[in-house]
Amino acid sequence: MHELSLAMSLVDLAAGCAREAAGAGTGGGRVEAVHVRIGALTGVDGDALRFAFDAASDGTPLAGARLVVEHVPVAVFCGGCGAERTLDEPFRLRCPVCGAPAARVVRGREIELAALEVSEIVSAHR
Amino acid sequence: MSPRIVEVRRNVLAKNDALAARLRRTFAAAGTCVISLVASPGAGKTALLAETLRSLRSRRRAAAVVGDLATENDAARLRESGAPVRQITTGTVCHLDAEMVGRALEGWDLASLDCLFIENVGNLVCPAAYDLGEDVRAVLLSVTEGEDKPLKYPVIFNGADLAVITKTDLIGPAGYDEALARRYLDAVRPGLEVLRVSAKTGEGMPAWLARVEAALVQKRTAGLRA
């Protein structure tokens, strides 16, 4: 449900980054794709986010861009083992090796704009 | 020509997080302890909050903001406690965000408040992602909802500081297995602090109020040290 709010924030952020990239001379063309990283603990559904992104980007410079979602599994730091562990089942926050409660979530909470794919400027302006 | 990849690595909720951080600084400067309540619709957020505001009235200056899609009903109900209350109506939005809370607080002298409660929109999914600058996020689960809410909506329970089992007066009639609910809570968030209350009979209210008081004292002490 909140994927639409997230998609609107994402479109704002990505459009801003595309403008910055254009200003810095590292982009400036059309945004072909938007890459995001979504942690398993965020409760964000990839398909719903893609659907919302298409709606939210309509009429913006990002219209027509693909949304590429990378799912980030949950990783915790286990104090008992002194090691980082990736969880197969994201919502049982215990070390999969020793069973101790996970001291700290290292990854899996991110909702991150990772990268933009920008097409080269076709008509050079210099 | 092939597209060029521009690395960004920016948090999509950066704007909300920045606004929440600003709220947190404002609350810290004012010494106001902020406790948010999240739960599904009908879990008893408003009933617990109404009892809390009423109990605190004689000794603490407490206020509340309450979010719903529509109506001022909850604010009207909470104002019967005599505490200042503001309603946020979100329209279609299924959660509160830091900007809405900041707007609702405009013109309030926070320094005159010991404690501010934020009652989120009834929803166990969407509020999880949005930091509101609170000190304590309490998630409520009522006995009438069944024991397995934590397993069905793990994200919200995982991100909470405290769980409160509500409507404990209905444990018998609902055939509720409290031990099972606690096992499920512990599964999604090992070590999570769990309280139990009935706003109707008052059972568990002293422990809840003591928890509120502890958060309040901790905030005050941190403010004095800062």
Side-chain angles (χ1 to χ4, degrees):
Chain A
M1 290 205 280
H2 61 313
E3 278 81 358
L4 185 57
S5 301
L6 285 176
M8 288 161 72
S9 300
L10 175 62
V11 167
D12 278 351
L13 180 64
C17 291
R19 275 196 305 275
E20 277 172 33
T26 55
R30 225 181 80 79
V31 176
E32 303 281 348
V34 173
H35 292 250
V36 292
R37 300 173 73 244
I38 305 292
L41 275 180
T42 62
V44 175
D45 181 76
D47 287 337
L49 187 63
R50 268 188 290 272
F51 182 81
F53 178 80
D54 288 346
S57 60
D58 193 33
T60 77
L62 294 171
R66 278 178 299 126
L67 185 71
V68 183
V69 178
E70 180 195 339
H71 295 278
V72 182
V74 179
V76 298
F77 183 80
C78 173
C81 300
E84 192 179 305
R85 309 280 188 204
T86 301
L87 306 187
D88 297 330
E89 201 186 350
F91 302 127
R92 306 282 175 133
L93 287 191
R94 287 181 181 275
C95 174
V97 178
C98 74
R104 189 160 51 85
V105 173
V106 182
R107 276 188 303 282
R109 294 195 196 277
E110 48 279 268
I111 304 177
E112 185 184 86
L113 170 59
L116 300 174
E117 274 179 46
V118 185
S119 60
E120 301 286 351
I121 303 166
V122 180
S123 53
H125 47 66
R126 57 186 133 153
Chain B
M1 231 184 266
S2 62
R4 191 186 340 223
I5 304 282
V6 181
E7 291 278 345
V8 180
R9 301 212 63 153
R10 294 254 282 266
N11 180 358
V12 174
L13 289 175
K15 190 177 155 199
N16 186 76
D17 289 350
L19 288 171
R22 196 196 296 168
L23 281 178
R24 198 165 268 123
R25 285 194 297 275
T26 307
F27 296 144
T32 308
C33 176
V34 182
I35 299 174
S36 76
L37 305 180
V38 292
S40 44
K45 295 182 292 300
T46 311
L48 176 62
L49 190 46
E51 277 307 297
T52 306
L53 292 175
R54 211 177 48 75
S55 303
L56 289 175
R57 185 170 49 189
S58 58
R59 50 205 162 91
R60 292 295 190 183
R61 297 163 302 175
V65 294
V66 49
D68 278 297
L69 269 64
T71 82
E72 289 257 343
N73 292 358
D74 279 4
R77 201 171 142 197
L78 292 172
R79 278 190 199 112
E80 288 170 13
S81 68
V85 179
R86 285 186 180 167
Q87 177 83 45
I88 303 174
T89 45
T90 62
T92 56
V93 181
C94 48
H95 56 268
L96 294 181
D97 63 30
E99 191 178 1
M100 295 179 209
V101 172
R103 235 184 294 130
L105 294 176
E106 275 171 21
W108 255 358
D109 176 20
L110 288 173
S112 73
L113 295 178
D114 298 312
C115 194
L116 173 73
F117 293 91
I118 303 173
E119 182 184 327
N120 215 315
V121 177
N123 185 333
L124 279 178
V125 184
C126 311
Y130 293 85
D131 184 3
L132 304 179
E134 68 267 66
D135 298 295
V136 177
R137 178 172 290 199
V139 59
L140 277 52
L141 62 164
S142 64
V143 306
T144 49
E145 293 170 82
E147 297 85 356
D148 58 354
K149 275 282 152 81
L151 299 185
K152 289 175 174 167
Y153 301 89
V155 175
I156 199 104
F157 288 95
N158 185 267
D161 301 300
L162 171 69
V164 184
I165 299 173
T166 59
K167 308 189 190 181
T168 53
D169 53 294
L170 295 177
I171 284 179
Y176 187 72
D177 185 343
E178 185 180 338
L180 183 61
R182 285 174 180 262
R183 276 209 299 284
Y184 290 153
L185 280 168
D186 197 62
V188 296
R189 180 71 188 273
L192 181 64
E193 180 183 356
V194 184
L195 295 177
R196 58 200 303 287
V197 300
S198 164
K200 191 173 177 185
T201 66
E203 185 196 13
M205 283 301 289
W208 159 250
L209 291 169
R211 181 64 179 83
V212 169
E213 189 67 24
L216 212 141
V217 168
Q218 191 184 8
K219 182 74 172 207
R220 203 35 73 80
T221 316
L224 292 177
R225 260 193 256 113

